[in-house]
Amino acid sequence: MAAVNTVEILVQTAVSGLLWGFIFALISVGLTVIFGVMDIVNFAHGDFLMVSMYGAFVLYSFWGLDPLLSLPLVVAFMFGVGVLTYRLLISRVLDAPMLAQIFATFGLLVFLRGAAHLIFHADYQSIKNPILSGSFELFGVTMSVPQVVAAVGAMVITGLVYWFIMKTETGWALQAVAEDKEAASLMGIDSEWMYSLAWGLGSACVAIAGVLLSNFYYIFPEVGVMFGLIAYVAVALGGFGSVTGALVAGVIIGVAEVLGGFLIGPEYKYVIVFLIYLAVVVLRPKGLMGKA
Amino acid sequence: MLHEVEVLRRFAPPRLGRFVVPALLLLLILFPFVVNAAFYVHLMILVFLFAYLGQAWNILGGYTGQVSLGHAVFLGLGAYTSTLLFEWYGVSPWIGMIAGGLVAMAFGLIIGLPTFRLQGHYFAIATIAVGESVLALFNSWDLVGGASGIYRTIVPESWWAMQFHSSKDPYYFIALGLVVTIFTVTRLIERSRLGYYFRAIKEDPDAAKSLGIDTTRYKLYSMMISAFFTGLAGTLYVQYLLFIDPEMVFLLMLSIQICLVPVLGGVGTLWGPAVGAAILIPISEFTRGYLGGSAAGLDLVVYGALIMLVAAYKPAGIMGLLRKAS
Amino acid sequence: MTLLKVENLTKRFGGLVANDDVSMYVERGEIVGLIGPNGAGKSTFFSTVSGYYRPDGGKVYFDGEDITGLPTEKVCLRGMTRTFQIVKPFSDMTVLENVMVGAFARSARVSEVRDRALEVLEFVGLADRRDFPAAGLTIANKKRLELARALATEPKLLMLDEVMAGLTPRETQEAVELIHRIHERGITLFIVEHVMEVIMPISDRVYVLDGGRKIAEGPPQEIAENEEVIKAYLGERYHAARG
Ligand SMILES: Nc1ncnc2c1ncn2[C@@H]1O[C@H](COP(=O)(O)OP(=O)(O)OP(=O)(O)O)[C@@H](O)[C@H]1O
Ligand SMILES: [Mg+2]
């Protein structure tokens, strides 16, 4: 009897890890798009997630707008934030030493987190009674509706981003700029516009993840820390710049983190993620699908 | 040819000279005898502590170009090491201080060994991950007090126990001693092969390798020095406050302050961390006094804005401004 | 006596074979040229030989020892130093400090290293620039600095990657003279150069790469008349004219 129970719990946990994995994947895709196009790691990526969650929260508490309805608003807003971040900050450090590049986005992280503390305080907020709520049972496994919707949404968006980059003309232009900025500009591609687009797109991805997450997850100033960290690790594991790599890595980490947290203890979540990172760095620094 | 000569600006770092440094040191030694207000002595101790921590960070981040965003971990490990040695085994904090430095150094190797073979952002990401991991672990590690931390056993004041209750002056002098030590060490590094190699690695790792520099090894040296000295300060920190908990030493905030000091003052310069601490710490202490807890987060907003501004507009910090002017 | 011997070296980047089964040797005291059209794989060959890349096949012997796969810094300490086609000065350091970094390869004593670096700067004609930041040098002087820095490591074999590209005729002449003076000091030279006219007169022997393969080797006069070499270079001009 006990054994059956353990198996059941394990399956339940694995499914939960899988669902989380797709959300991690979407967050990581946003990060990897930016890195792939311009070789810059956005250290504030997790905090973009946090801002999106608060965006959904504010629209809900002041105008009663359900996250499902506020989704396009928040995504459009974050697209703008991404573009502005590029225009005002990143474009100034493009040719600067790595030190300045790291500090530019790290400063943004500190700024956003401080602003969240200042405006919303350290309290945990949540969106009560969103349209997406409740749970259902499938093959004896209980799943929460908002989490399943979030996972499916994440999968769809990741697929769309992949399609956009691989199959559309604009996507090819992005790839061309990533490959060789000078050569691309000879072909008449405006690299400034492409960089802005990459930042907008990456931020929009993380915004979608944030809004979907706000349906069922607490909102607080440090909420982006864990998600941001997972995204860095997923991007390293998947290969810096690879969308499919980020997807696979996100799912792997989701399952590993939730299972590991369940088997060893939740306080080891960060440690597990960190150990995965170290393993990647030592064994396969190019990542699963990284280019040479 | 002449044209080129005209265009080039001569490198003229502001010379604090043979006289200014000893004079400054003398002033600092006299300070607690002249100024009796405990608040100002407290303020100076904080300035020293952050000038010291900023310089320790600067060796790795400023001179060698390896950005650590989790340097507080080393401080925290040093603090916990000496605390536990004292509380459990009655070991003097002076010995605990060295032990704490060594523990921090060993930990630095664990982060550096795998990541230093790769590009800079691999290391920076690892430092964030380490910071969060250690915070989570210590918060749930009951043996070392868990989230509620450890209140230090109060013993009669003595140099052996590094506890002083009647006056802050002894702490002031320990802090001053640490500052003098790290600035001397940094000066020595600057003028030795180590310092030249550190800067070469920061400027262009490929060129450095082609000239016979084992870049991974020298980055590790830099890490070991930086982590060791950061760990040392942990003991002063905990002896001064006589209390320790994970949030106090492992929170990202402390790491931010540690790197903001040299970033503001000027990374990779000897006096940058001193200038940065002398400006940043008083401002942050006074504003905290005025605003109290009502504006939690405001300091972060200001720090974040400062870091972005320096990164995007003045990567050389205040020392860069001074150099231009001279 | 053979100083450098490369056997069947192959280097791939993904599907692209940048060096395909290339063998070369350099005798002690020689000046050997390596030429070839754009993208022939010359720089890649230097990088692989000097340990910056790991070869995908083949062997490298230096000074009688197998150094295949040895990292660049160790190769440098054994006496083989290369320069970069795209100059890599330590921009925020002064000219003197740049050269000192090179000289530290042989000694840790700062005063000794400083003297050595000053001597090298005198030798290459950059002594009057010693206190300037490297970032502000003209391209010709940056190339000279690149050379000085490498020289300061006291190499037995100096590998120069297009140190004369982009120079005016007069600067080129000065560079050629400098190369001769370096050679007189007993340093063996292996020189990549794109422009045939410059490299031919100073080389004892010349190798030609095209499309990653070695297509010719021999004394300069022979190479200049070699059908395949002419075709490779003509092909390039043909493409250049069309492109
Ligand atoms: N790091 C790299 N990754 C991928 N491909 C590379 C890399 N370095 C060189 N290549 C490719 O290898 C081929 C040989 O390049 P290499 O730079 O060795 O040529 P080269 O003979 O030095 O040319 P040039 O005269 O332009 O300097 C080229 O097709 C180049 O695009
Ligand atoms: Mg080349």
Side-chain angles (χ1 to χ4, degrees):
Chain A
M1 193 65 206
V4 173
N5 248 334
T6 317
V7 171
E8 234 170 62
I9 293 172
L10 265 181
V11 170
Q12 178 83 49
T13 316
V15 168
S16 159
L18 202 62
L19 293 178
W20 272 116
F22 284 111
I23 299 169
F24 294 163
L26 180 55
I27 302 172
S28 315
V29 165
L31 186 63
T32 213
V33 164
I34 295 172
F35 184 91
V37 174
M38 57 199 309
D39 257 7
I40 281 186
V41 179
N42 179 14
F43 282 92
H45 196 68
D47 300 86
F48 279 16
L49 182 88
M50 178 268 292
V51 172
S52 318
M53 292 178 78
Y54 273 115
F57 173 73
V58 166
L59 291 173
Y60 178 81
S61 358
F62 285 90
W63 291 285
L65 218 51
D66 188 85
L68 272 187
L69 301 173
S70 64
L71 183 72
L73 294 178
V74 176
V75 170
F77 173 73
M78 286 309 291
F79 187 95
V81 169
V83 171
L84 274 184
T85 304
Y86 172 72
R87 286 277 145 106
L88 298 180
L89 186 66
I90 306 303
S91 62
R92 304 196 58 97
V93 295
L94 269 189
D95 300 317
M98 171 93 59
L99 202 77
Q101 292 185 351
I102 292 179
F103 274 124
T105 60
F106 181 65
L108 188 58
L109 171 159
V110 176
F111 180 84
L112 292 176
R113 214 170 284 176
H117 269 284
L118 198 59
I119 302 170
F120 301 103
H121 310 292
D123 314 326
Y124 280 48
Q125 315 278 2
S126 66
I127 291 178
K128 288 159 194 85
N129 307 318
I131 295 175
L132 294 174
S133 58
S135 60
F136 63 96
E137 200 165 305
L138 195 70
F139 306 120
V141 181
T142 317
M143 297 188 225
S144 104
V145 173
Q147 205 173 346
V148 170
V149 170
V152 172
M155 237 185 301
V156 171
I157 300 295
T158 305
L160 278 179
V161 171
Y162 184 77
W163 169 81
F164 174 76
I165 292 180
M166 295 315 225
K167 298 278 146 79
T168 66
E169 212 157 301
T170 318
W172 293 333
L174 271 176
Q175 288 187 56
V177 172
E179 200 75 30
D180 187 337
K181 187 172 145 188
E182 270 75 43
S185 85
L186 287 180
M187 287 154 53
I189 300 171
D190 180 357
S191 64
E192 277 297 296
W193 160 228
M194 286 301 143
Y195 285 161
S196 302
L197 180 66
W199 274 86
L201 196 62
S203 311
C205 285
V206 82
I208 296 171
V211 175
L212 290 174
L213 205 54
S214 68
N215 273 314
F216 62 97
Y217 203 78
Y218 289 111
I219 305 165
F220 53 102
E222 265 82 30
V223 68
V225 178
M226 184 69 181
F227 292 102
L229 206 56
I230 287 174
Y232 304 135
V233 175
V235 167
L237 175 59
F240 280 90
S242 160
V243 172
T244 39
L247 175 67
V248 174
V251 171
I252 292 176
I253 293 174
V255 174
E257 190 228 43
V258 175
L259 265 183
F262 170 69
L263 294 174
I264 317 174
E267 66 269 31
Y268 293 101
K269 272 188 180 178
Y270 282 107
V271 182
I272 292 165
V273 173
F274 179 55
L275 289 179
I276 295 175
Y277 180 68
L278 280 192
V280 173
V281 164
V282 173
L283 300 175
R284 206 180 155 79
K286 278 169 198 155
L288 294 174
M289 316 214 169
K291 290 163 266 180
Chain B
M1 279 305 197
L2 197 74
H3 174 69
E4 184 192 20
V5 176
E6 281 164 18
V7 169
L8 292 172
R9 74 197 151 86
R10 251 187 115 83
F11 250 8
R15 292 222 168 274
L16 287 183
R18 270 163 232 277
F19 306 106
V20 181
V21 173
L24 187 68
L25 193 57
L26 190 69
L27 276 180
L28 290 176
I29 290 172
L30 293 176
F31 181 84
F33 300 107
V34 180
V35 180
N36 257 328
F39 173 74
Y40 287 99
V41 175
H42 166 74
L43 190 65
M44 286 304 285
I45 293 173
L46 286 185
V47 171
F48 289 160
L49 183 68
F50 278 93
Y52 173 94
L53 291 170
Q55 189 68 282
W57 183 94
N58 196 30
I59 291 171
L60 180 65
Y63 284 94
T64 321
Q66 307 302 307
V67 180
S68 161
L69 303 175
H71 234 55
V73 165
F74 302 121
L75 179 92
L77 289 175
Y80 266 102
T81 303
S82 82
T83 297
L84 295 178
L85 282 177
F86 182 81
E87 296 295 325
W88 292 353
Y89 306 109
V91 176
S92 163
W94 292 99
I95 296 168
M97 195 177 212
I98 305 291
L102 292 175
V103 168
M105 188 163 100
F107 204 73
L109 283 178
I110 296 176
I111 311 171
L113 268 172
T115 52
F116 277 155
R117 291 177 302 125
L118 307 165
Q119 272 181 306
H121 50 248
Y122 283 94
F123 173 69
I125 290 171
T127 58
I128 295 189
V130 164
E132 298 299 335
S133 307
V134 172
L135 175 61
L137 281 184
F138 272 74
N139 262 332
S140 59
W141 192 3
D142 291 332
L143 193 64
V144 299
S148 48
I150 302 172
Y151 281 94
R152 295 295 303 268
T153 312
I154 308 291
V155 298
E157 77 171 32
S158 75
W159 280 89
W160 180 87
M162 213 193 279
Q163 284 193 20
F164 309 95
H165 310 303
S166 55
S167 154
K168 288 182 193 297
D169 291 0
Y171 292 116
Y172 177 95
F173 286 108
I174 296 172
L176 181 58
L178 283 176
V179 168
V180 171
T181 306
I182 197 120
F183 275 74
T184 311
V185 166
T186 308
R187 189 72 182 140
L188 289 175
I189 290 174
E190 238 186 7
R191 294 191 165 171
S192 70
R193 171 155 81 179
L194 216 50
Y196 282 81
Y197 275 13
F198 286 173
R199 287 163 65 202
I201 289 169
K202 169 183 162 180
E203 298 261 332
D204 195 317
D206 288 338
K209 279 184 203 156
S210 80
L211 298 172
I213 304 176
D214 185 339
T215 53
T216 308
R217 171 191 298 254
Y218 277 89
K219 283 185 209 171
L220 283 174
Y221 288 160
S222 179
M223 168 56 112
M224 285 163 73
I225 298 169
S226 178
F228 175 77
F229 281 106
T230 309
L232 283 193
T235 298
L236 173 65
Y237 198 65
V238 71
Q239 293 300 127
Y240 186 56
L241 300 169
L242 289 175
F243 170 71
I244 185 169
D245 74 9
E247 302 264 307
M248 208 173 89
V249 285
F250 294 130
L251 223 48
L252 184 68
M253 181 68 186
L254 187 57
S255 293
I256 293 168
Q257 282 178 317
I258 292 177
C259 63
L260 183 56
V261 162
V263 164
L264 193 64
V267 290
T269 62
L270 180 65
W271 296 106
V275 173
I279 293 173
L280 191 71
I281 300 304
I283 292 178
S284 91
E285 283 301 300
F286 283 118
T287 46
R288 186 177 307 169
Y290 281 119
L291 296 172
S294 67
L298 185 62
D299 44 357
L300 281 179
V301 171
V302 174
Y303 290 170
L306 276 177
I307 296 177
M308 281 190 282
L309 278 177
V310 173
Y313 293 89
K314 266 272 142 278
I318 293 168
M319 289 304 284
L321 290 176
L322 291 179
R323 183 177 295 178
K324 273 265 164 58
S326 70
Chain C
M1 200 191 138
T2 310
L3 185 57
L4 173 70
K5 192 163 140 202
V6 183
E7 285 177 352
N8 311 95
L9 194 79
T10 298
K11 177 67 201 169
R12 293 189 201 94
F13 294 115
L16 182 106
V17 187
N19 289 149
D20 189 0
D21 203 24
V22 181
S23 301
M24 296 185 192
Y25 67 89
V26 177
E27 299 284 342
R28 209 178 282 273
E30 270 191 312
I31 299 182
V32 176
L34 173 57
I35 64 171
N38 280 119
K42 307 179 295 289
S43 297
T44 304
F45 182 75
F46 264 26
S47 293
T48 314
V49 167
S50 66
Y52 183 70
Y53 294 137
R54 280 189 83 86
D56 294 306
K59 289 271 173 204
V60 182
Y61 299 93
F62 180 68
D63 217 2
E65 280 177 78
D66 185 354
I67 59 159
T68 317
L70 208 63
T72 317
E73 62 271 15
K74 297 233 169 69
V75 171
C76 167
L77 295 180
R78 288 190 181 211
M80 180 204 296
T81 307
R82 59 85 60 98
T83 65
F84 291 93
Q85 178 175 0
I86 299 163
V87 290
K88 296 175 179 290
F90 304 126
S91 302
D92 269 354
M93 296 167 86
T94 66
V95 168
L96 175 63
E97 287 171 337
N98 265 267
V99 180
M100 283 175 72
V101 171
F104 272 121
R106 298 294 166 211
S107 161
R109 302 226 349 248
V110 178
S111 58
E112 196 179 311
V113 162
R114 204 183 137 82
D115 291 345
R116 172 90 189 106
L118 284 172
E119 186 200 319
V120 173
L121 282 176
E122 199 69 51
F123 181 77
V124 303
L126 276 177
D128 56 338
R129 301 281 191 285
R130 67 186 205 195
D131 291 327
F132 295 132
L137 294 178
T138 61
I139 186 68
N141 277 341
K142 275 186 185 153
K143 296 216 165 197
R144 227 188 270 208
L145 175 63
E146 186 90 6
L147 220 158
R149 223 168 45 175
L151 221 84
T153 66
E154 298 179 18
K156 293 175 193 153
L157 175 66
L158 187 56
M159 314 224 302
L160 305 178
D161 194 351
E162 304 212 10
V163 281
M164 288 172 276
L167 302 191
T168 64
R170 199 184 129 193
E171 287 165 346
T172 307
Q173 192 49 44
E174 284 173 1
V176 168
E177 274 162 28
L178 182 57
I179 286 173
H180 277 302
R181 284 194 290 128
I182 292 171
H183 188 234
E184 277 160 23
R185 284 191 152 196
I187 294 171
T188 307
L189 286 152
F190 197 3
I191 305 175
V192 162
E193 204 53 58
H194 183 69
V195 188
M196 276 212 261
E197 292 76 7
V198 180
I199 189 73
M200 290 305 198
I202 55 175
S203 305
D204 297 317
R205 287 185 303 117
V206 173
Y207 286 101
V208 188
L209 277 182
D210 185 27
R213 292 167 178 279
K214 182 174 77 178
I215 58 165
E217 61 180 293
Q221 314 84 290
E222 249 172 58
I223 295 294
E225 288 155 16
N226 185 303
E227 286 288 324
E228 247 189 293
V229 177
I230 294 167
K231 220 163 64 194
Y233 269 81
L234 277 181
E236 186 186 35
R237 285 199 190 126
Y238 176 66
H239 286 301
R242 282 185 18 151

Short mmCIF file of all heavy atoms in Angstrom, two decimals, chain C residues 13 16 18 37-44 53 85 162 194, ligand 1:
data_model
loop_
_atom_site.label_atom_id
_atom_site.label_comp_id
_atom_site.label_asym_id
_atom_site.label_seq_id
_atom_site.Cartn_x
_atom_site.Cartn_y
_atom_site.Cartn_z
N PHE C 13 36.26 23.22 -38.77
CA PHE C 13 35.26 24.00 -38.02
C PHE C 13 33.91 23.48 -38.45
O PHE C 13 33.44 23.84 -39.53
CB PHE C 13 35.37 25.50 -38.34
CG PHE C 13 36.64 26.12 -37.87
CD1 PHE C 13 37.56 26.63 -38.78
CD2 PHE C 13 36.93 26.21 -36.52
CE1 PHE C 13 38.73 27.22 -38.35
CE2 PHE C 13 38.10 26.79 -36.08
CZ PHE C 13 39.01 27.30 -37.00
N LEU C 16 33.40 22.63 -42.17
CA LEU C 16 34.44 23.26 -42.98
C LEU C 16 35.83 22.73 -42.60
O LEU C 16 36.20 22.72 -41.44
CB LEU C 16 34.37 24.77 -42.74
CG LEU C 16 35.35 25.60 -43.55
CD1 LEU C 16 34.62 26.32 -44.65
CD2 LEU C 16 36.07 26.60 -42.66
N ALA C 18 39.37 23.63 -42.57
CA ALA C 18 40.19 24.83 -42.74
C ALA C 18 41.64 24.47 -43.05
O ALA C 18 42.35 25.22 -43.73
CB ALA C 18 40.11 25.70 -41.49
N PRO C 37 45.55 32.73 -50.91
CA PRO C 37 44.46 33.71 -51.03
C PRO C 37 43.63 33.80 -49.74
O PRO C 37 43.81 33.00 -48.83
CB PRO C 37 43.61 33.16 -52.18
CG PRO C 37 43.99 31.73 -52.32
CD PRO C 37 45.39 31.60 -51.81
N ASN C 38 42.72 34.75 -49.67
CA ASN C 38 41.85 34.93 -48.50
C ASN C 38 41.13 33.63 -48.16
O ASN C 38 40.64 32.94 -49.04
CB ASN C 38 40.78 35.99 -48.78
CG ASN C 38 41.34 37.38 -48.63
OD1 ASN C 38 41.34 38.15 -49.57
ND2 ASN C 38 41.83 37.70 -47.47
N GLY C 39 41.10 33.34 -46.87
CA GLY C 39 40.35 32.15 -46.45
C GLY C 39 41.04 30.84 -46.75
O GLY C 39 40.45 29.78 -46.64
N ALA C 40 42.33 30.91 -47.11
CA ALA C 40 43.06 29.69 -47.46
C ALA C 40 43.32 28.82 -46.24
O ALA C 40 43.55 27.62 -46.36
CB ALA C 40 44.39 30.05 -48.12
N GLY C 41 43.30 29.42 -45.07
CA GLY C 41 43.55 28.65 -43.84
C GLY C 41 44.89 28.96 -43.21
O GLY C 41 45.36 28.20 -42.35
N LYS C 42 45.51 30.07 -43.59
CA LYS C 42 46.84 30.42 -43.06
C LYS C 42 46.79 30.72 -41.57
O LYS C 42 47.57 30.17 -40.78
CB LYS C 42 47.40 31.64 -43.81
CG LYS C 42 47.42 31.49 -45.32
CD LYS C 42 47.97 32.72 -46.02
CE LYS C 42 47.13 33.98 -45.84
NZ LYS C 42 45.85 33.96 -46.56
N SER C 43 45.87 31.61 -41.19
CA SER C 43 45.78 31.97 -39.77
C SER C 43 45.39 30.75 -38.93
O SER C 43 45.90 30.55 -37.83
CB SER C 43 44.75 33.07 -39.56
OG SER C 43 45.17 34.24 -40.23
N THR C 44 44.47 29.96 -39.47
CA THR C 44 44.07 28.76 -38.76
C THR C 44 45.26 27.84 -38.54
O THR C 44 45.44 27.26 -37.46
CB THR C 44 42.97 28.02 -39.55
OG1 THR C 44 41.89 28.91 -39.78
CG2 THR C 44 42.48 26.80 -38.80
N TYR C 53 44.24 26.34 -31.15
CA TYR C 53 43.20 25.34 -31.45
C TYR C 53 43.80 23.95 -31.26
O TYR C 53 44.99 23.76 -31.46
CB TYR C 53 42.73 25.43 -32.90
CG TYR C 53 42.01 26.70 -33.27
CD1 TYR C 53 42.28 27.32 -34.48
CD2 TYR C 53 41.04 27.25 -32.44
CE1 TYR C 53 41.62 28.48 -34.85
CE2 TYR C 53 40.38 28.40 -32.80
CZ TYR C 53 40.67 29.02 -34.01
OH TYR C 53 40.01 30.15 -34.38
N GLN C 85 46.83 38.35 -36.52
CA GLN C 85 46.54 39.14 -37.71
C GLN C 85 45.72 40.38 -37.33
O GLN C 85 46.03 41.49 -37.73
CB GLN C 85 45.76 38.28 -38.70
CG GLN C 85 45.35 39.00 -39.96
CD GLN C 85 44.68 38.06 -40.94
OE1 GLN C 85 44.52 36.87 -40.67
NE2 GLN C 85 44.31 38.58 -42.08
N GLU C 162 50.61 38.26 -40.96
CA GLU C 162 50.30 39.48 -41.71
C GLU C 162 50.65 40.75 -40.94
O GLU C 162 49.82 41.64 -40.78
CB GLU C 162 48.81 39.50 -42.10
CG GLU C 162 48.42 38.26 -42.89
CD GLU C 162 47.31 38.50 -43.91
OE1 GLU C 162 46.97 39.66 -44.16
OE2 GLU C 162 46.82 37.50 -44.46
N HIS C 194 49.88 37.89 -47.13
CA HIS C 194 48.89 37.75 -48.20
C HIS C 194 49.49 38.24 -49.52
O HIS C 194 49.27 37.66 -50.58
CB HIS C 194 47.65 38.56 -47.83
CG HIS C 194 46.55 38.44 -48.81
ND1 HIS C 194 45.85 37.27 -48.97
CD2 HIS C 194 46.05 39.31 -49.71
CE1 HIS C 194 44.94 37.45 -49.92
NE2 HIS C 194 45.05 38.67 -50.39
N1 LIG D 1 36.91 30.20 -35.39
C1 LIG D 1 36.42 29.83 -36.60
N2 LIG D 1 35.21 29.24 -36.68
C2 LIG D 1 34.69 28.87 -37.87
N3 LIG D 1 35.31 29.04 -39.05
C3 LIG D 1 36.51 29.65 -39.05
C4 LIG D 1 37.12 30.07 -37.82
N4 LIG D 1 38.31 30.65 -38.10
C5 LIG D 1 38.44 30.57 -39.45
N5 LIG D 1 37.37 29.98 -40.02
C6 LIG D 1 37.18 29.69 -41.46
O1 LIG D 1 38.27 28.92 -41.88
C7 LIG D 1 38.71 29.31 -43.18
C8 LIG D 1 40.17 29.70 -43.12
O2 LIG D 1 40.28 30.93 -42.41
P1 LIG D 1 41.68 31.61 -42.06
O3 LIG D 1 41.41 32.80 -41.23
O4 LIG D 1 42.58 30.59 -41.52
O5 LIG D 1 42.17 32.06 -43.52
P2 LIG D 1 43.42 32.96 -43.90
O6 LIG D 1 44.16 32.20 -44.92
O7 LIG D 1 44.14 33.41 -42.69
O8 LIG D 1 42.68 34.18 -44.61
P3 LIG D 1 43.07 35.75 -44.63
O9 LIG D 1 44.03 35.97 -45.72
O10 LIG D 1 41.75 36.41 -44.90
O11 LIG D 1 43.61 36.08 -43.29
C9 LIG D 1 37.79 30.45 -43.60
O12 LIG D 1 36.79 29.91 -44.42
C10 LIG D 1 37.21 30.95 -42.31
O13 LIG D 1 35.91 31.45 -42.51
#
